[in-house]
Amino acid sequence: MMHADQLPRVFQANADRFYQRVVLKTLGELTTHDTLAVGPTADIAEFLDRCAAQVDNHIANEAAKAFALTLDGIFERQLARWTGVHGVKAQKLEATLEAADRITAIDLVRAGIVGDLSELHLVANVARHGDGSSCDKLKVAAPQLWDSPMLDYYDLAPDPAPVSEELRVRPDDLRRYARAIARFWGHVDPLPNAVRDPLY
């Protein structure tokens, strides 16, 4: 068995453990509120409760963005290491994913994996840098990440808020990103009994 053949399985397990043991556990411990009340309050206690709810949801969203950034970093490091073993120098994510297609002869776009990985990478860039070209691309590619139909999020800083500060990363988005990473490694895994589709 070649060393390079073992990497996908190890990387899949490592990313999965981080998602299951850290991301899900941490997000599950954070308090969130479905809808945030707005408008006049009857007294200071009600006002402070509303402020606390806004802070709770803001913290949960910041945690989700931080986890997206971390998942992207984990995957980028893993991908660079795996492609490097195959003689491909690390490049921008899109070029490295194209190299992965050539290494494995698997069409990762057709497999439905590249879209979520690309979205994750843009989310990570927006979480890291704020407004800019990645934010513009992400707003076009995934406008749902800015939807707040239930009024469950407010930027806590005084207006005007940059577009990037209104980015919403929800637990289901993190699940999609973690699943895309697991699916990527499962699809490029050449060993028997590869897990191509995780249960989440």
Side-chain angles (χ1 to χ4, degrees):
M1 180 185 311
M2 293 178 54
H3 167 70
D5 290 347
Q6 298 175 48
L7 290 177
R9 185 129 337 156
V10 172
F11 290 160
Q12 183 185 53
N14 288 345
D16 177 75
R17 283 188 284 259
F18 180 80
Y19 175 67
Q20 299 273 6
R21 297 181 188 181
V22 179
V23 175
L24 289 181
K25 183 175 180 184
T26 303
L27 292 180
E29 293 178 1
L30 296 177
T31 301
T32 57
H33 310 271
D34 291 335
T35 304
L36 298 175
V38 295
T41 58
D43 54 41
I44 189 67
E46 183 182 10
F47 172 76
L48 292 176
D49 286 345
R50 289 183 181 183
C51 290
Q54 289 181 10
V55 169
D56 287 343
N57 284 17
H58 188 269
I59 289 170
N61 190 53
E62 287 298 312
K65 288 191 285 190
F67 283 137
L69 181 59
T70 304
L71 285 169
D72 183 63
I74 289 169
F75 180 66
E76 274 196 287
R77 288 194 328 269
Q78 291 175 337
L79 185 61
R81 186 170 172 186
W82 177 73
T83 55
V85 168
H86 289 281
V88 176
K89 190 173 181 178
Q91 310 167 63
K92 291 192 175 192
L93 181 69
E94 295 80 14
T96 309
L97 289 173
E98 288 173 9
D101 278 351
R102 292 190 301 276
I103 291 167
T104 62
I106 296 170
D107 186 339
L108 297 169
V109 173
R110 183 179 287 169
I113 299 169
V114 171
D116 285 335
L117 292 176
S118 296
E119 183 180 307
L120 168 61
H121 190 62
L122 288 173
V123 167
N125 282 340
V126 174
R128 182 185 297 113
H129 301 296
D131 284 5
S133 61
S134 290
C135 187
D136 295 340
K137 289 176 188 173
L138 184 61
K139 191 92 160 94
V140 171
Q144 74 278 4
L145 296 177
W146 274 267
D147 286 348
S148 185
M150 299 297 293
L151 298 176
D152 61 348
Y153 179 79
Y154 293 101
D155 178 50
L156 298 180
D159 288 335
V163 171
S164 57
E165 288 302 314
E166 298 294 331
L167 171 66
R168 298 297 314 284
V169 178
R170 296 172 176 87
D172 191 54
D173 298 314
L174 291 172
R175 181 197 60 77
R176 284 190 302 111
Y177 304 149
R179 187 173 195 281
I181 292 170
R183 291 190 70 226
F184 174 88
W185 291 123
H187 276 73
V188 303
D189 186 343
L191 301 179
N193 303 312
V195 177
R196 292 194 169 186
D197 290 299
L199 297 177
Y200 45 84

